[in-house]
């Protein structure tokens, strides 16, 4: 068995033994020892069974070069263990101590303007710095050697939210190595980047720089490769510390916390380097669409882990402190957010952080145990969640099956949003969220997959915006369509190759046959109306905006055409058997009509028989034998269900309909209904 397989098994064993993990970041080094005993007592009271220790403790462990202050860590690990609380022990490499940057300025990152960042905040390290990496290795190795066999330690956590970008000289050298590996020789790179444009030709790799400040636009292929390099460089930092922990004899699972659709790390390449996927999620309580947005992130996390359960490693229990204006979460909202993650495949619900910091930059960031102490709604909410999660242990390890894939690729996102394109108003994430919302409103989960991944398992495949599309991905879409899947493709897709060079021919070149249509250009558009074909779409008028292609059908039927203006009569939405194409950014009603048409054609429906679109704000998702119903809306919702289901959270049995009050959650168990 590979060490990764056995480490994953160790995670599953922990969950089986303890139930769903519940806890958060715990920073005892920021508090006097007296407080630790109170912490542990209150953790037990709240049902906390898992904490991440030491994320920012480098300067405490190594206050001066070479020092190793372990006594405090020995003591707290023993205390946690005596109290049955499992520890996710962090290699504390995210925030190096001030002395390191003073003694070795080369560890400090340089921004694109050439400014070297300094200590006094956190994260001041360059992932390219060999000095930083040597010091990070040393402390991680010593930590792992000391604690690999400690019974409290059930997981390892490397760094924190890897995302540092460096434009300095060492980064330039590393970038060149990376380019050499990718392109082989300089002429191949010149061709891939088309450096004949604007006289950018390089005679040797040594002439190439990271994209620092330039007088005008940077070569988009250079920029794309730098993003790829930066993600790979961060991954290398993670991987070498993971290997150091393993080499010290640790058998526990090792992970690092992701950040959803984070712009500086391509998690498709990271996913199989961690033993368990873990993610930090901070939906904004001020955003009315945050429930579907975070559901999409949760579907991504599950998909990154190949469908296996994942960990919600950080979230806030009330307000964060880093937005311009920070709305709190009610305890009910915080509970719903946690249960939503469980519904969508999480086996661990953790917070940043256990005890609110009494000073420091995050003094106003909420925590499970707030400044006000235990006599607070926040702490009572913490305890309630601990109790709820115990009731849900039956879902641990269960999967969230789906027949729908939504394609997403970091490279495509990066290249598709380089400046100097037809419109800056087209946002990959916005389109992804809009498309996903049609699924979410129907209680249909999606696997978020890379276009080059196998697509055979899916009956519906959504491609909101695949700017870069490989010939292999185009072929697998065509193969899926031939096998009976419905494929829905959005505008400005299949535009470029892997080097961000525009494919030559009528677009989308590689998908032209599949969609039975083609276009000659992409252009920003003025808002305009659509004329819908009879029998297609909603009764309300529909419109198009942002970007339009001058589509010509070549066998496809036209479901909607532009109406009025320069584009009058030009197809905007087409269908060619199982391939649906949108040649413009169309309004929500038209988009929803396309997606629901594809779902219906594939006979894919939500988890509640007879209900297509769920009541406003209601989320429905089935995990294992449990139907979760979460009311994110402001009105009560009611849906038909099988009579006699058992609500794991309330202990009630259902009649043939179930009501869900605003903010409430039901977890209806089919398996248990037979037993109770
Ligand atoms: C995360 C970070 C935590 C804490 C939190 C506050 O991004 O990992 O250390 O800063 O944000 O919301």
């Amino acid at each position: 068995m590979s060490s990764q397989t056995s480490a994953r098994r160790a995670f599953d064993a922990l969950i089986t033994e303890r139930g769903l993990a519940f806890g958060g970041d715990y920073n005892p080094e920021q508090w006097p020892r007296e407080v630790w005993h109170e912490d542990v007592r209150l953790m037990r009271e709240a049902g906390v069974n898992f904490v991440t220790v030491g994320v920012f403790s480098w300067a405490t462990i190594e206050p001066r070069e070479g020092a190793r202050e372990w006594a405090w860590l020995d003591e707290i690990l023993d205390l946690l263990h005596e109290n049955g609380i499992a520890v996710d022990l962090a290699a504390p490499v995210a925030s190096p101590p001030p002395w390191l940057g003073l003694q070795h300025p080369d560890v400090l990152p340089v921004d694109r303007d050439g400014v070297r960042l300094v200590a006094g905040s956190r994260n001041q390290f360059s992932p390219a710095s060999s000095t930083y990496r040597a010091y990070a290795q040393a402390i991680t190795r010593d930590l792992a050697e000391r604690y690999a066999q400690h019974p409290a330690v059930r997981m390892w956590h490397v760094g924190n939210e890897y995302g540092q970008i460096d434009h300095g000289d060492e980064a330039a050298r590393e970038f060149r190595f990376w380019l050499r590996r990718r392109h082989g020789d300089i002429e191949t790179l010149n061709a891939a980047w088309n450096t004949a444009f604007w006289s950018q030709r390089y005679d040797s790799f040594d002439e190439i720089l990271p994209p620092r400040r330039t007088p005008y636009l940077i070569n988009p292929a250079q920029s794309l490769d730098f993003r790829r390099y930066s993600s790979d460089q961060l991954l290398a930092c993670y991987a070498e510390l993971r290997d150091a922990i393993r080499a010290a004899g640790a058998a526990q699972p090792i992970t690092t916390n992701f950040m959803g659709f984070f712009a500086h790390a391509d998690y498709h390449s990271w996913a199989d380097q961690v033993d368990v996927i873990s993610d930090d999620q901070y939906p904004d309580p001020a955003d009315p669409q945050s429930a579907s947005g975070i559901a999409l992130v949760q579907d991504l996390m599950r998909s990154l882990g190949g469908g296996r359960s994942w960990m919600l490693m950080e979230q806030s229990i009330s307000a964060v402190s880093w937005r311009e204006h920070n709305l709190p979460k009610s305890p009910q909202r915080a509970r719903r957010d946690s249960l939503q993650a469980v519904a969508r495949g999480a086996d661990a619900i953790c917070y940043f952080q256990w005890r609110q910091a009494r000073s420091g930059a995050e003094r106003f960031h909420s925590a499970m145990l707030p400044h006000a102490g235990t006599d607070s709604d926040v702490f009572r909410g913490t305890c309630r969640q601990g109790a709820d999660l115990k009731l849900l242990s039956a879902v641990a390890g269960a999967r969230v099956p789906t027949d729908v894939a939504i394609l997403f690729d970091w490279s495509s996102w990066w290249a598709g949003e380089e400046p100097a394109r037809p419109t800056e108003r087209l946002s990959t994430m916005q389109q992804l969220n809009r498309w996903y919302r049609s699924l979410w409103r129907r209680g249909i989960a999606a696997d978020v997959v890379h276009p080059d991944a196998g697509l055979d398992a899916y009956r519906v495949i959504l491609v909101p915006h695949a700017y870069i599309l490989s010939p292999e991905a185009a072929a697998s879409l065509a193969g899926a369509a031939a096998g009976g899947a419905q494929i829905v493709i959005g505008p400005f897709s299949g535009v470029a190759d892997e080097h961000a060079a525009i494919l030559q021919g009528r677009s989308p070149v590689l998908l032209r046959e599949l969609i039975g249509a083609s276009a000659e250009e992409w252009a920003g558009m003025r808002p305009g109306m659509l004329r819908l074909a009879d029998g297609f779409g909603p009764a309300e008028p529909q419109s198009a905006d942002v970007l339009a292609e001058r589509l010509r059908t070549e066998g496809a039927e036209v479901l909607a055409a532009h109406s009025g203006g320069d584009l009058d009569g030009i197809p905007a939405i087409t269908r060619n058997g199982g391939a649906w194409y949108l040649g413009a950014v169309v309004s929500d009603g038209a988009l929803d009509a396309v997606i629901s048409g594809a779902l219906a054609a594939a006979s894919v429906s939500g988890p509640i028989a007879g209900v297509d679109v769920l009541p406003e704000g209601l989320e429905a998702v089935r995990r294992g034998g449990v139907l979760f119903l979460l009311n994110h809306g402001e009105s009560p919702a009611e849906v038909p269900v099988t009579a006699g289901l058992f609500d794991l959270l309330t202990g009630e049995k259902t009649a043939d309909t179930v009501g869900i009050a605003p903010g409430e959650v039901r977890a209806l168990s089919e398996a248990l209904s037979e037993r109770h």
Side-chain angles (χ1 to χ4, degrees), residues 429-506:
M429 286 317 303
Q430 230 171 47
Q431 294 310 315
L432 195 66
N433 273 289
R434 288 183 69 224
W435 286 48
Y436 181 78
R437 210 168 155 80
S438 281
L439 300 176
W440 185 83
R441 291 171 65 228
R442 293 178 167 79
I444 297 172
D447 283 350
V448 184
V449 297
H450 190 283
D452 291 343
L455 300 174
D456 294 349
Y458 302 105
R459 283 152 65 193
V460 174
I461 301 164
L462 304 184
V463 191
H465 180 206
Y467 179 80
I468 292 181
L469 199 75
S470 67
E472 295 73 25
S476 87
L477 284 172
Q486 300 288 311
I487 320 281
V488 187
I489 301 164
F492 212 36
S493 287
V495 174
D497 70 11
E498 58 166 326
H499 304 300
I502 308 304
L503 298 176
Q504 300 297 291
R506 290 184 65 89

Side-chain angles (χ1 to χ4, degrees), residues 534-553:
D534 286 347
F536 172 74
E540 302 78 43
Q542 297 299 315
S543 56
D545 197 358
V546 180
L547 176 133
E549 303 176 1
R550 301 186 80 83
L551 268 190
R552 174 176 87 194
T553 55

